[in-house]
């Protein structure tokens, strides 16, 4: 029974969030705290003296930072919401669970873990600027908007790194205790997925207008970008002898964070793009693991 639940936890969590949307949407205030703890658990596993910046890291970051804002301005004349969704699907950092999948596929876990760290730092700097450029807080000036978003994004993406370093060197017992609860991040991820799914469904049900074309466009764009990022990441990695790690680094996204960002700073409908991305990236990961098992 436990194996069945673990194998099907993604659809179970999303169905649970959908069926209980009226209740779980009230818990949306917990999402940033869950994200903070999940990143803290990830950073606690990193041995900072072993971090090495690889040329592929720079290429992957360049794609995330340049293509994300480029896509927005390319799609903006057609549909602002779809443009926001496209930008979000590219700019959002690598999922904390990507290292696990990378290891299962035979990739370089150290490479991926290092990229998760540097990617989160880069996104924490870029997102407040990008969101302010596209008018995420129209009532504020550009500088005020950047500062407003920084105050909320930095604590989630950067502070867990500082806390992890402090625990490792100053409170080693607490650090060791966190490492001895390996499944905690998994359960937190499930809880966060239920909440953000319920919040998205609640918004879609209660909104006044119908925008089926926009919703379809968001799902289509998220599918195309998901496939492209896995392919492009693998192409970059192949050049450096490790297609798996780069493919997961660019393709597997922290969709929980993306949905929270959409619901907090962008048009709420934008959350459909990362919600769809959850499904697409897990289909790709499942197929990759199936192929690896056959080999």
């Amino acid at each position: 029974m436990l194996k069945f639940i673990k194998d099907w936890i993604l659809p179970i969590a999303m169905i649970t969030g959908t069926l209980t949307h009226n209740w779980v949407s009230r818990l949306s205030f917990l999402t940033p705290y869950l994200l903070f703890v999940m990143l803290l658990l990830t950073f606690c596993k990193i041995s900072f003296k072993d971090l090495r910046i690889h040329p592929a890291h720079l290429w992957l970051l360049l794609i995330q930072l340049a293509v994300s804002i480029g896509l927005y301005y390319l799609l903006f004349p057609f549909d602002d919401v779809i443009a926001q969704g496209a930008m979000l699907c590219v700019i959002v950092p690598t999922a904390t669970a990507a290292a696990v999948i990378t290891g299962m596929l035979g990739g370089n876990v150290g490479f991926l873990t290092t990229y998760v760290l540097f990617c989160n730092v880069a996104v924490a700097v870029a997102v407040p600027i990008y969101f302010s450029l596209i008018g995420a807080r129209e009532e504020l000036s550009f500088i005020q908007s950047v500062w407003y978003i920084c105050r909320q994004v930095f604590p989630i993406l950067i502070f867990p790194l500082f806390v992890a370093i402090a625990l490792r060197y100053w409170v080693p017992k607490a650090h060791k205790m966190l490492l001895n609860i390996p499944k905690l991040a998994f359960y937190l991820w499930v809880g966060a997925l239920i909440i953000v799914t319920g919040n998205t469904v609640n918004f879609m049900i209660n909104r006044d207008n119908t925008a089926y074309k926009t919703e379809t466009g968001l799902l289509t764009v998220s599918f195309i970008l998901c496939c492209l990022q896995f392919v492009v990441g693998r192409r970059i990695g192949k050049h450096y002898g490790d297609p798996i790690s780069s493919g997961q680094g660019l393709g597997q996204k922290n969709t929980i964070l993306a949905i929270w960002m959409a619901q907090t700073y962008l048009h709420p409908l934008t959350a459909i793009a990362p919600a769809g991305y959850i499904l697409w990236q897990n289909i790709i990961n499942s197929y990759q693991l199936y192929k690896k098992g056959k080999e």
Side-chain angles (χ1 to χ4, degrees), residues 72-214:
Y72 173 80
Y73 285 111
L74 180 66
L75 297 175
F76 174 75
F78 304 98
D79 192 308
D80 183 32
V81 176
I82 293 178
Q84 291 179 18
M87 180 182 69
L88 202 56
C89 286
V90 179
I91 190 64
V92 71
T94 306
T96 56
V100 177
I101 302 297
T102 299
M104 295 172 69
L105 293 172
N108 186 336
V109 175
F111 172 95
L112 201 284
T113 305
T114 301
Y115 185 66
V116 169
L117 173 61
F118 288 114
C119 181
N120 273 275
V121 173
V123 171
V125 175
V127 158
I129 298 173
Y130 285 10
F131 284 9
S132 299
L133 283 173
I134 67 173
R137 306 293 302 186
E138 293 181 347
E139 72 277 12
L140 302 176
S141 68
F142 176 76
I143 299 299
Q144 289 174 326
S145 178
V146 170
W147 173 242
Y148 176 87
I149 298 172
C150 274
R151 285 188 303 172
Q152 293 181 299
V153 171
F154 265 61
I156 294 174
L157 296 183
I158 302 300
F159 283 7
L161 173 61
F162 295 144
V163 174
I165 295 173
L167 290 177
R168 177 181 290 270
Y169 294 107
W170 297 332
V171 196
K173 288 185 178 180
H175 182 265
K176 185 177 180 180
M177 182 186 70
L178 291 176
L179 292 179
N180 289 333
I181 319 175
K183 293 185 179 179
L184 178 58
F186 173 75
Y187 294 124
L188 291 174
W189 176 81
V190 172
L193 181 57
I194 292 172
I195 292 172
V196 296
T197 300
N199 207 27
T200 302
V201 170
N202 195 58
F203 166 76
M204 292 179 64
I205 290 176
N206 294 323
R207 62 193 176 88
D208 296 330
N209 63 315
T210 56
Y212 299 112
K213 288 184 178 179
T214 300

Side-chain angles (χ1 to χ4, degrees), residues 51-69:
L51 293 178
R52 298 288 186 275
I53 296 182
H54 192 278
H57 290 149
L58 303 179
W59 282 110
L60 297 177
L61 270 178
L62 178 63
I63 289 173
Q64 280 193 251
L65 298 178
V67 174
S68 57
I69 193 67

Side-chain angles (χ1 to χ4, degrees), residues 27-45:
L27 302 176
S28 59
F29 69 93
L30 293 175
T31 304
Y33 301 103
L34 294 173
L35 288 165
F36 179 96
V37 178
M38 285 189 285
L39 281 173
L40 172 62
L41 293 170
T42 299
F43 293 150
C44 279
K45 298 175 184 176

